[in-house]
Amino acid sequence: MLTFRRIVGAFGTCAALALAGVTGPTQAVAQDYPTKPVQMIVPFSQGGATDQVARLMAQPLEAALGEPVVIVNQPGAGGAIGLANLAMARPDGYSVAIGSDSTLGARPMMSDTGYDLNSLTMIARLVEIPSGVAVRADSPYKTLADLVEALKTERLTYSGSGIASGPHLAMAAFLAQQGVTATFVNSDSNQDGLVKLLSGEVHFLTGGGSNFPALFSESGESDIRVLGLAAEERWPFMPDVPTYREQGFDYVNSQWFGIVAPAGVPPEVVDRLSAAVAEVVGSDAFKERMKEFFFNPAYLDSKDMLARVIADSEAVRPVLMELGLLKK
Amino acid sequence: MDLISFSDISTGLGNVASPWVILFLFIGVIIGMIFGAAPGLTAPAAIALFLPVTYAMGPTTSMALLLGIYCSGYFAGSIPAILINTPGTPSSAATALDGYAMAREGQGDRALSLAIWGSFVGGLFSLMLLMTVAPLLAKVALKFTSVEYFSFALAGIVCVAGISQGSMTKGLAAALFGILVSTVGLDPVSGVGRFMMGQPNLMGGISQTVALIGLFAISQMLLLSKQGEQHHAILPTQQRVSQLAVLGELWRHRWLSLRSAVIGSMVGVLPGTGPAIASWLSYSDAIRTARAGDRFGNGEAKGVVACEVSNNAVTGGAMVPLLTLGIPGDPVTAVLIGALMIQGVHTGPFLIQQDGGLFVSILFLLFLSNVLMVVVGLSGRGLMARVLNLPAAFLVPAICLTAAIGAFSVSNNAFDVRLLLIFGLVGYAMLRLGFPPAPAVLGIVLGPILEKNLRNALTVSDMDPSVFVLRPISAGALLVTAGLLYLWLGPRRRSEASET
């Protein structure tokens, strides 16, 4: 029996390969995509903000595509492992993953990740969060200017979630722009960084704005003070916090998440997926749910997302060089 | 208690007093028991797996399910640790040392009962702390910086000296192997890849769970399949014990239990730690205070009590920073934050103030899940012990299968299953050559904490090592470390060595 099955199996594989050679698999699949479930790799663990965005997306995306969207959590290395495995998947549009500013931009420049921009296709950007900086409520620094001024004479330390993560690079780039430096103390997560801030181990914390609102009571009291958010205009979730620009620092930066696929996905499939995502992100229901996570829906299509990644990468390259993190 | 008002208590009680909540709590306890007991499947894995199920539930029901899994999962790891020397979770590795030795003397039922009641005591103690002094404890937790974490981890790692029976050299070698394993992946301080051998899947390092399952479960199964049916000749028929006697025994060890409960709760309160560290610290504390005639490592009941009280005391402790600061105290509570967020509850310093009812519900749920854990554990222990009667031909493949599923489920990555096999073979080689696997696990768990915090502390202090002795809490921990080393390596040990 076993040998018989094996022979049949081998024959089947040969036949499939031959067929694939004749018709070209991508064209046949691309026209009526999707015909089977789409797997979405979330490179973070269950329960995290990215996971929840992905799960919120899954249902309306299923409705838009007409096929189930299956979430697979593959955490590790700040989101890089999931992308490395995605890059090896078949580029047929049935495997996609959630990428972020730092995993798509900085990470491949730092070490051998098994993927880079050339091995991935951008599908669409989903949401963004302005970068921000916070100090303890009893800190002598009341404004961003106070902090920058102090950094000119003192050696201060700061923390954030992960080496060369979005928040770390956002602050490093800002400090470089101001011509000052500070010592970075790495944390495993934003919450870990918050512990370091509250225990007085570091002087300030860099993090995405979405981490801050839950730390304030309804009347606005808190153990921390947010000095500024690097958004274009004031952030609706924290309207009292001034932007960097308002304080005289021309710096805008955000962390964002988007959907990517392996390189070589047929353009029809990219368009189909991208259009489906646009529909979901534009819906009022999605916007309403994103408010609970303090995320701003920020759709970009495939081309604009790629342009954004490239621009971001070029911006952080000198910063990585300065920090000695650039791959040799 | 100015923390919560009477209206909060009535809201909390009202929330919990629903048949659905109790049903899901019960389901949670059962799931936790199964996941904790199956080598390879762990409580954090169970919570992560069942988290999406809670998306459709209300906050109290979802907390009921998850807290049920949490409490019983932390206990259940000790079941296979005691019965087949295969800890189900990293936190039960220390329990296996004495628990399995007890089972080999026919005292498995006593060890299991002690573990169940010990877990209950630990869980309740930490719950009491959470209920009364949570904000105060949170302040203590914020006294801990990288300096203190390093010194405490150092006190933990010197346990190697205490648990290395036979050859100290082999124990140290195993511990260093564990630390070496923990250095694989992206460096926690500067983000450089180490020992990755061109394998992107190693970027995140080697999963502690995968390494542990390989070293303990797979190696044990390989050994078992080599021994074949002889195994059952070694384990005698297990004597049933009266629960009253077990409670009496626990009472005799009340001071040990209390110390272990305090250690477990405090470790729980500290973010970035977990039950594995708690049980090792308590175990070393138990050895430190050993009296003549105690047979640690050879079936000393106190060893089981210390570990089990301590690792379940983590549960209430870990809820302290979660509920007072919005910061997880251990790997499971990190997932709980997400679960609450799904329900539209933001964990932060104002949670208790704004949602006192939820806080009270959580207290009730923790209490009830501890009670249910005892009920399910005691009534199921006969069934558990029957595992020993299974022929190796069934036991070995079944456990290898759950181990593989467990390794895969850590991050849905087939690569981890391959790693599991490698660690299984390494573990088997270690067993055959007389290297104890327990210190290796200690190295794997504490290695990253030691490295990260040492380097962070020195970065903050601008490379000035005096911070370790100038900060009082750290200095205290270092003194304890020195004391432990003197105890284990000092004159008495040396004179013993010279006699033999």
Side-chain angles (χ1 to χ4, degrees), chain B residues 236-435:
Chain B
T237 327
Q238 303 292 318
Q239 290 164 4
R240 297 282 282 192
V241 290
S242 101
Q243 294 308 308
L244 224 56
V246 169
L247 285 176
E249 188 167 1
L250 210 55
W251 176 249
R252 277 204 304 286
H253 303 317
R254 57 190 175 275
W255 296 116
L256 176 79
S257 303
L258 183 68
R259 283 201 315 272
S260 303
V262 170
I263 292 175
S265 307
M266 283 320 295
V267 169
V269 170
L270 294 178
T273 55
I277 300 162
S279 57
W280 284 116
L281 282 179
S282 301
Y283 191 74
S284 68
D285 168 71
I287 300 182
R288 183 179 61 80
T289 54
R291 299 210 189 97
D294 285 353
R295 308 175 304 142
F296 279 101
N298 295 313
E300 175 57 53
K302 281 167 49 183
V304 175
V305 171
C307 299
E308 287 304 309
V309 170
S310 173
N311 67 27
N312 261 62
V314 170
T315 55
M319 299 298 286
V320 169
L322 174 77
L323 295 172
T324 55
L325 301 167
I327 290 162
D330 72 350
V332 172
T333 38
V335 187
L336 288 182
I337 289 189
L340 284 168
M341 216 164 157
I342 293 159
Q343 307 294 342
V345 179
H346 285 283
T347 48
F350 302 98
L351 178 79
I352 299 179
Q353 215 173 311
Q354 284 166 1
D355 207 342
L358 180 74
F359 176 63
V360 176
S361 308
I362 288 177
L363 293 180
F364 276 119
L365 288 172
L366 276 174
F367 175 73
L368 287 176
S369 54
N370 272 302
V371 172
L372 279 177
M373 176 190 81
V374 172
V375 173
V376 174
L378 286 181
S379 49
R381 74 188 201 286
L383 194 70
M384 300 162 197
R386 223 173 286 164
V387 168
L388 292 178
N389 302 334
L390 274 179
F394 291 118
L395 193 65
V396 171
I399 288 188
C400 287
L401 187 66
T402 56
I405 295 171
F408 180 77
S409 72
V410 168
S411 51
N412 293 308
N413 198 340
F415 177 78
D416 286 334
V417 183
R418 270 170 262 166
L419 266 187
L420 176 75
L421 185 66
I422 295 172
F423 275 91
L425 292 173
V426 170
Y428 180 68
M430 286 173 73
L431 283 179
R432 298 284 290 172
L433 299 172
F435 288 91

Side-chain angles (χ1 to χ4, degrees), chain B residues 47-58:
Chain B
I47 289 197
L49 268 178
F50 284 90
L51 180 69
V53 179
T54 68
Y55 281 44
M57 300 175 178

Side-chain angles (χ1 to χ4, degrees), chain A residues 46-49 51-52 55-56 71-78 80-81 84-85 88 107 110-115 155 157 163 183-189 191-192 194-196 198-202 214-218 221-223 289 291-294 324-325, chain B residues 48-49 51-52 55 141-147 149 186-193 196 200-205 271 325-328 334-335 337-339 341-344 346-350 353-354 410-413 452-453 456-462 471:
Chain A
Q46 287 94 332
D51 177 54
Q52 296 186 32
R55 283 175 200 275
L56 281 177
I71 306 271
V72 177
N73 295 83
Q74 214 168 69
I81 290 179
N85 285 322
M88 291 188 283
R107 191 24 73 192
M110 292 167 56
S111 55
D112 291 319
T113 45
Y115 71 89
R155 175 185 177 275
T157 54
I163 192 92
T183 308
F184 182 71
V185 180
N186 192 27
S187 293
D188 294 338
S189 63
Q191 284 136 338
D192 183 20
L194 184 63
V195 173
K196 288 197 172 71
L198 292 177
S199 69
E201 188 169 356
V202 296
L215 302 172
F216 287 81
S217 75
E218 276 157 25
E221 44 180 329
S222 175
D223 296 327
R289 286 309 298 269
K291 278 186 192 163
E292 286 171 28
F293 302 106
F294 311 111
L325 291 173
Chain B
L49 268 178
L51 180 69
Y55 281 44
L142 289 181
K143 292 266 175 288
F144 276 67
T145 65
S146 303
V147 175
Y149 278 107
L186 295 178
D187 163 342
V189 177
S190 47
V192 178
M196 298 199 329
N201 279 308
L202 283 174
M203 272 188 289
L325 301 167
I327 290 162
V335 187
I337 289 189
M341 216 164 157
I342 293 159
Q343 307 294 342
H346 285 283
T347 48
F350 302 98
Q353 215 173 311
Q354 284 166 1
V410 168
S411 51
N412 293 308
N413 198 340
K452 190 166 65 186
N453 289 301
N456 277 344
L458 289 175
T459 307
V460 170
S461 72
D462 213 2
R471 292 181 63 101

